[in-house]
Amino acid sequence: TLTLGASGDTVALASGASQTGFGRTGTVDWNTTKKTASFTATNGDGFFVDTNGGAITATLPASPSAGNIVYIKDYQGTFGTNACTVARNGSNIRGEASDFLLEKNNAGAVFIYVDATEGWQVFVDGSDPDAQAAFVTATGGTITTSGNCKIHTFTGPGTFAVSQKACLPANNVVSYLVVAGGGGAGAGTGPDAGGGGGAGGFREYKSPVTPYTASPLDGNPGGTEITVNAQDYPITVGGGGTGQTFPRGSSATSTNGANSVFSTVTSAGGGFGGDGSGQSPTPFGPGRAASSGGSGGGGAGGSGSSCQGIRGAGNTPPVTPAQGNRGGHGYTGAPPDRPAGGGGGAAAVGVCASGPASGNGGAGATTSITGSPTAYAGGGGGGFGCTSGGALGTGGTGGGGNGAAANSPTPGVAGSDNTGGGGGGGNGPANGGAGGSGVVIIRYKFQ
């Protein structure tokens, strides 16, 4: 045992001498030669970083041990103009695989390595808002503002690129609307009309820090929360399904809309409307039942096969809250008029056809996530048969297309693009309408 000095004494090292094995007391040795270019920090040292000439990256030590310590400090109050990025160098920072940005003038922070799970813990001079922006910074889509919020609208594929997350965790929870493509509508044959397409799945989540009037389908609480980090989020915007062309037996059938995706949230494409078969026997083969989807397609009119009249289910696959509703049944009574059912919408079921009336498309849901109230995901109206005197199905609010009128070669109306509306059903001599494409909207607080 070697004892140096007595209680209360000071043991001094000679000028130029160094010590090892004594341990540290939470302090650093300051390197007073300012850093003007990117560098790799060393354990136990503090560094003054001068970003007058541009942004600088300070890389933390590789393979650190518990208790390693590094201090980074703004040399001349320029981090607000040119930030200093503290690169993690393979270890976590605060439990995440993300670098740490110092972007406020005169900011400073000490980094202490804890373990492989937490990695480097950070102690900012003052508090986090004194070193980092309090809000998310991102690019992608068409960007607008509403109050203190930014809104990114994607009408096609793209990337929501987050370059900086907020230092306050609550501000990293974003609001979103994800609407899939609407389903294509069926075509009719003879007096048997085609069903309206189901609306694309509608999924919304309102963050508490982004004030606006959400739809009744708001998933907060109980839905899927998305908390963003500094990374890229690929965006998928589903296209609308194709409508059935007349005569039905000589062309491709109607199809479901395509899915839309943001992070862990997928909205399902709307189901296609059923195809009418015509009175049996028919040269065009049996009809086809409507499909399930985000919202279900409307059933076709007719009685020529067991497929006639059958509607598609909504909220398929199931999510909470439900992303859509079922379609309406087609009419399967005696000729001459057999109208079709309407496609389901985000906020209401598709209406069943009855007697001389086609079913209307289910209503869509209205949200003000963009700053103004807008309806999305309306179902397509059912088509009417080939004789006169009946009422065609109207599309649901939120982009649903109207069904084709009796004795008219005009096809069912397509669902509106970027609303996820279902296509309007065709009649005996007319095509079914295509579904409308979907949309992805992201909203967050930026000031």
Side-chain angles (χ1 to χ4, degrees):
T1 301
L2 175 63
T3 301
L4 299 178
S7 177
D9 288 352
T10 298
V11 177
L13 297 178
S15 176
S18 62
Q19 61 86 15
T20 61
F22 288 2
R24 305 200 67 85
T25 60
T27 61
V28 295
D29 297 322
W30 283 99
N31 184 334
T32 56
T33 301
K34 67 182 182 179
K35 297 292 186 180
T36 58
S38 296
F39 66 99
T40 298
T42 49
N43 171 46
D45 292 327
F47 301 90
F48 293 99
V49 179
D50 183 359
T51 61
N52 267 304
I56 289 177
T57 297
T59 302
L60 292 169
S63 304
S65 300
N68 282 186
I69 183 172
V70 171
Y71 211 126
I72 305 295
K73 180 67 177 178
D74 191 352
Y75 171 75
Q76 201 177 22
T78 58
F79 283 1
T81 302
N82 298 307
C84 176
T85 298
V86 182
R88 64 190 189 89
N89 203 7
S91 299
N92 286 343
I93 296 179
R94 286 182 172 172
E96 297 182 0
S98 300
D99 297 338
F100 194 88
L101 199 64
L102 298 171
E103 55 181 353
K104 293 288 188 72
N105 288 342
N106 301 308
V110 60
F111 297 78
I112 300 176
Y113 187 80
V114 181
D115 54 34
T117 300
E118 184 66 15
W120 296 90
Q121 185 52 268
V122 186
F123 300 88
V124 173
D125 294 353
S127 61
D128 281 9
D130 295 316
Q132 290 189 315
F135 308 105
V136 169
T137 301
T139 59
T142 300
I143 303 175
T144 55
T145 60
S146 176
N148 291 326
C149 294
K150 278 189 178 178
I151 301 116
H152 295 241
T153 300
F154 293 86
T155 57
T159 300
F160 181 60
V162 180
S163 58
Q164 175 62 40
K165 70 176 189 177
C167 62
L168 301 176
N171 289 341
N172 292 313
V173 179
V174 298
S175 297
Y176 63 79
L177 174 66
V178 181
V179 178
T189 303
D192 299 348
F202 177 104
R203 300 186 67 182
E204 181 180 20
Y205 186 97
K206 178 185 175 183
S207 168
V209 301
T210 59
Y212 71 93
T213 301
S215 75
L217 302 180
D218 175 20
N220 185 9
T224 302
E225 177 182 294
I226 295 179
T227 301
V228 298
N229 289 304
Q231 66 180 71
D232 289 348
Y233 294 87
I235 301 296
T236 300
V237 176
T242 57
Q244 172 64 50
T245 54
F246 179 85
R248 184 182 56 75
S250 63
S251 60
T253 56
S254 52
T255 62
N256 280 18
N259 296 348
S260 290
V261 183
F262 166 45
S263 186
T264 57
V265 171
T266 298
S267 292
F272 59 75
D275 299 334
S277 67
Q279 299 179 48
S280 183
T282 170
F284 303 125
R288 189 169 61 141
S291 174
S292 300
S295 283
S303 59
S305 80
S306 60
C307 294
Q308 299 309 299
I310 297 177
R311 62 194 176 193
N315 195 32
T316 304
V319 294
T320 302
Q323 61 181 312
N325 291 280
R326 62 168 174 78
H329 283 310
Y331 181 69
T332 58
D337 299 321
R338 290 196 279 250
V349 300
V351 177
C352 296
S354 60
S358 302
N360 294 334
T366 298
T367 173
S368 294
I369 190 171
T370 62
S372 59
T374 305
Y376 300 89
F384 192 73
C386 66
T387 64
S388 60
L392 61 84
T394 58
T397 55
N402 293 338
N407 284 330
S408 170
T410 303
V413 177
S416 298
D417 279 338
N418 302 127
T419 67
N427 60 23
N431 301 337
S437 60
V439 69
V440 173
I441 301 171
I442 303 165
R443 179 178 176 130
Y444 57 90
K445 190 174 182 181
F446 81 103
Q447 66 180 14

